[in-house]
Structures are given as C-alpha cells and as structure tokens.
Amino acid sequence: MITPLKMDMSIDWDGVDQLTDWYIDSGVTGLFAVGQSSEMFALSDDERLRLAERVVRRANGRVPVVASGTFDQALAAQVKFVRQMADLGVAQVVVIASMMAQAEDDDTVWRGKVSRLLDATDDIPLGLYECPLPYHRLVSGDLVAWAAGTGRFRLLKETSRSLSQLRAKIEAAEGAGLGVYNADATTLLESMKAGASGYCGIAANFYPEPLVWLCKHFLHADAANAQSLISMADPTIHHQYPVSAKYYRRQAGFAMTTVSRVSNAKLTGYDQRILDSIARQMYCLKPGERNLTD
C-alpha cells in the first residue's frame, strides 16, 4: 500500500480508509500496510503502528493485513516491535531481510539472527520481505527451505526479478505453508504457472484489477495478452515512484496529494500524459470489458 499524505506531510487518515476500501473493492486478497511503498523508513515507530492498526480496523476482516516489523538492528528492539505489531491484529508481521544482518554477513549470520527472533516471539506468524532497502538482500533457496521448515513463515515477498531464482524458492517452500509472492509484474504469468501464490508489488497501487484477473486466470487464452500490456506499462510506473502512484490515484478521483516523504519528484507534462495513457489501456483490461472476460 502507498500512504496518503497531507501537504504538511502528516498522514491523511481519511485517505488511508478510502484507499483500503478501494484495494479491497478492486479484488485484492490481502494488504501489505507497512512496506517500502508505504514510505515505511520515513515513518516513526508510532506512525508505523498507527498505520497498520488503521488498515486492520478498516479492512475489518475482509482481507488479511500484514505489516513490517523489524526496523531496528538490535534484536531486543525487533522483538518488542514485532510483538507490538502482532497485538494490533495483523495476520503476519513481516521480517525485512536486509535488517537481519549486515550486507557483508553470510547466510549463517542471517539465519542465526532470525532464529533468535523466532525463539523470542513465541508463535507469532511471520512473513519475509526481500526489501531493496537499506540494501537488497535476497533470501537463498536453502534459506527459504529452512524458513518454511520452521512453520512460522507464511509469506515471502520475492524481489529478485529472476524467474530461475523465483522458481527455486517456490520449490523450496512447496507444501510447507509458505506462499511465495512475486513482486515483479513482468514475470507474473510465468510465476503463477510455476506455482507462485500471487503478486505483491507496486503495480497493484496503479491497476490491481488486471493483476487480480491474471492471478486467477493464468491459464486463460487471453492471459498472455494481459501479461504483455502489464509488462509494457511496468517501466513507466517505476519512474518517479511513489509520486507517480499518487498522481495516478488522484487522476482516478481520489482526493490525494502527490506529497511524499521519500521523493520530491515533480511529474512533467510528458510523465502525466504517459500515466494517463496507461490508465486508459488498463481500463480496457478490466474483466468484462473489451478484451478480457471472467
């Protein structure tokens, strides 16, 4: 989820409610309330907790909500915050992979830190997130198999943009209750065919309907056409993100500023025209419209 902000950069709580309803009405089956798209590293601990709580309350059981919970390098602080986040009613507290070891540390160090976190957080359900910040740490297939074997992890947000790595992680998690969610919209179709549990990425902040459709109907005759259009749009929506996403939602009728704590980007007229064109094309991909049927 993106986080709506007011002109003074405070969180627009009414906007959070409106967005939560929109995601759910668009067909998504879960919400990631405190992630990088939420500008989580620019939020205070209190704001992170309040944001997750607000989304949980607004979702009101319609879909599960997950939220990140490991922002401090110190284990004691991580344990405390994971517990605080779990107490709000999130379905899973998400472990940020790059916060569990330094960039130069090997997988043994990472696994040891995560093991200690598991021991200190009882049976709280967890997720794993290969967040690109503060550095991009990918979780190996062997570590995915280990994480799945603990019985604690339910979700992996996979961000390698590599089908071979994604397939290896899907295979490693098979049958263990750990769903692998692809963050790369350009490989969504192939990942679903390979056994991915779904999509979890920034494109859902622009046009969730065709992504929902493709996850449900990846064997449909029109699936390749849907994937082609999604892939062509993908590079553009990454430009000036998350400002681009806030502009896109604003053009769709949301009373949302384009204010961001992590970017002061200004969209040019060219940028806006391209985003507007993508919006028109994605409307044609909605189930029941011109070229896709349910």
Side-chain angles (χ1 to χ4, degrees), residues 141 144 163-173:
V144 171
L163 269 174
S164 61
Q165 291 188 48
L166 181 64
R167 289 189 179 108
K169 294 170 194 179
I170 292 170
E171 182 177 349

Side-chain angles (χ1 to χ4, degrees), residues 66 69 170 271:
V66 304
I170 292 170
D271 296 330

Side-chain angles (χ1 to χ4, degrees), residues 29 33-34 39 55 81 116 139 144 148 162 174 183 192 209 227 230 234 287:
T29 56
V34 182
E39 307 180 44
V55 175
F81 200 77
R116 293 192 293 275
V139 182
V144 171
S162 163
E174 187 176 3
M192 293 304 297
E209 294 95 337
Q227 179 65 77
I230 289 168
D234 203 63

